[in-house]
Amino acid sequence: MKWKPLFAVLLGLLVVGSVVLAEVRGYEEVGVSPSPQKEPSLPLPVPGDNVALKTFSGKSSTQMAEQFLQKYWDRLTLRINLEEFSNATFVGIALRRLPSGAYAPLYYLGYDVKASDVEVMTKSFYIEARKFGKLPLKVRGALADEPPREWTSIGRISTVTTSEEITTREGHKVHVYNKLGADFWVAEARMGYYYYVYMSHEAKVPSERDFPKNFRVAVKEVRERATILNPSPEQAYFGVGSFRPEGSGSSSEPTVTWGLNIGIDAKGLPSAAAGFSETYTKGLIFKWYTDDIDANRDIEFQFYDLKKKGLLSSSPAWGKIFVAHPVVVPFVKKGTPFHMIELKLRGEAEFVYEEDVIICLGYNCWVSHPRHTVQAPPIEFTVEMYPWFINRR
């Protein structure tokens, strides 16, 4: 196949409502869930011979984790710069030993974790590590008109979370959350390596039953961005085949095609999806837009107009959690040192809220509904992916 610079390609379907929940079972098989699930009371798993577990807590968590990783550094299939997570107060690391002697890591990070919460975080990490350890090392699948290939799991970054506090007029505290994580696979081709990067991005608000009186909050917009940082655009870029994504779309139907469906047959790999984490779809709608910031190197996904549609008008989707799972497929030519891709991922979430305010002028009173917007801090981190370690003998 003759290669040429390509635009980013986005794979899969966007699914809304109950369709999203039907897909959750598939996500959970790879340890990614679009919304927090209440974990059953389970004992801590015992690490197997092929999985090493380590946790760190406190303000120096990232420094201690970095020291721990040094002895594995030249055998990690997925590396992160822990300095980008310097505010983390809990770090869990699971290293899954591969047949080649390399290690596929799971990075699990927590912020504002108090000493009294460390045990709970540790159990949560162990449960996540157990799912990671059960993930098949290899699955088979095809992209577009490419032949089926064997995909190898090379690691995961568990959901990183930031939050923003809203104080109501009556003094109540309401938190909104921005959460981003990713799973990574790699497959060898004749000319180089494909990477399959599956992002898990969630914008979370309290449910309506948990709102303070006379207060409402909703997700307004979410964005994801993926940028290839390799210095040579000719050697590392997004793409597969000769397709490029459609520019925009709408979720007027419960199930819609998002971007361009290029005939993905990636059995065992999760497909791109997005929608509200609800058990019904009636009236929940949104729009999406894909923007090529820099052809072949930088792509942004935007979900906006997240609304609940009524008979006569629409309103923000108060109390509804929105989840997005974009997929990008970077490709690196075999002439690239170590066949390595350096990728920056970013997730942003904006929220809208309103309160019922009684306004009186003289003897006339009415209820006003002023609206405000707020953003949770964006999440951005860099990853380095190394298939060279997998195939090294």
Side-chain angles (χ1 to χ4, degrees), residues 279-334:
T279 56
Y280 59 90
T281 61
K282 185 177 180 180
L284 296 175
I285 59 176
F286 63 93
K287 297 178 181 178
W288 58 265
Y289 178 71
T290 304
D291 188 10
D292 298 319
I293 307 299
D294 179 4
N296 222 45
R297 306 276 291 177
D298 197 353
I299 186 170
E300 184 174 79
F301 313 106
Q302 177 187 7
F303 301 91
Y304 62 102
D305 278 357
L306 314 180
K307 292 181 178 179
K308 184 173 184 178
K309 190 175 182 179
L311 294 176
L312 301 177
S313 62
S314 298
S315 69
W318 305 119
K320 313 304 179 187
I321 298 171
F322 191 83
V323 293
H325 294 284
V327 170
V328 292
V329 183
F331 180 84
V332 60
K333 288 188 175 180
K334 286 189 176 179

Side-chain angles (χ1 to χ4, degrees), residues 88-284:
T89 52
F90 181 91
V91 179
I93 297 174
L95 299 177
R96 188 176 185 183
R97 186 176 177 85
L98 303 177
S100 65
Y103 290 89
L106 160 68
Y107 301 102
Y108 187 93
L109 299 113
Y111 293 83
D112 300 322
V113 179
K114 301 179 178 63
S116 57
D117 298 328
V118 169
E119 183 178 353
V120 174
M121 285 294 294
T122 301
K123 289 183 178 180
S124 180
F125 162 65
Y126 270 62
I127 292 170
E128 184 80 4
R130 176 164 49 194
K131 294 177 183 178
F132 180 67
K134 290 182 178 179
L135 181 70
L137 281 178
K138 295 183 182 296
V139 295
R140 193 165 180 81
L143 302 177
D145 57 352
E146 294 291 305
R149 291 190 171 88
E150 194 172 68
W151 295 82
T152 301
S153 171
I154 60 172
R156 170 181 300 161
I157 298 175
S158 191
T159 310
V160 183
T161 304
T162 62
S163 65
E164 186 67 24
E165 184 179 82
I166 302 170
T167 303
T168 70
R169 289 174 177 266
E170 297 179 355
H172 298 290
K173 305 294 184 182
V174 178
H175 288 86
V176 293
Y177 298 90
N178 181 30
K179 309 174 75 172
L180 180 67
D183 283 74
F184 304 84
W185 288 266
V186 67
E188 185 174 5
R190 184 172 61 88
M191 298 294 293
Y193 291 87
Y194 289 114
Y195 291 90
Y196 195 93
V197 181
Y198 173 82
M199 288 178 271
S200 177
H201 189 203
E202 178 180 312
K204 180 183 176 184
V205 298
S207 65
E208 287 186 282
R209 64 178 179 270
D210 296 325
F211 288 165
K213 186 179 180 181
N214 303 326
F215 178 89
R216 292 161 291 280
V217 61
V219 182
K220 181 180 180 182
E221 181 177 307
V222 297
R223 293 175 182 262
E224 300 84 36
R225 187 166 180 171
T227 307
I228 292 178
L229 302 178
N230 293 53
S232 173
E234 292 76 27
Q235 290 187 320
Y237 45 83
F238 289 119
V240 57
S242 58
F243 301 94
R244 60 169 297 170
E246 298 285 349
S248 61
S250 174
S251 68
S252 57
E253 299 296 331
T255 303
V256 298
T257 299
W258 176 32
L260 185 62
N261 183 356
I262 61 173
I264 179 174
D265 176 24
K267 296 177 181 177
L269 297 177
S271 298
F276 293 94
S277 60
E278 289 294 302
T279 56
Y280 59 90
T281 61
K282 185 177 180 180
L284 296 175

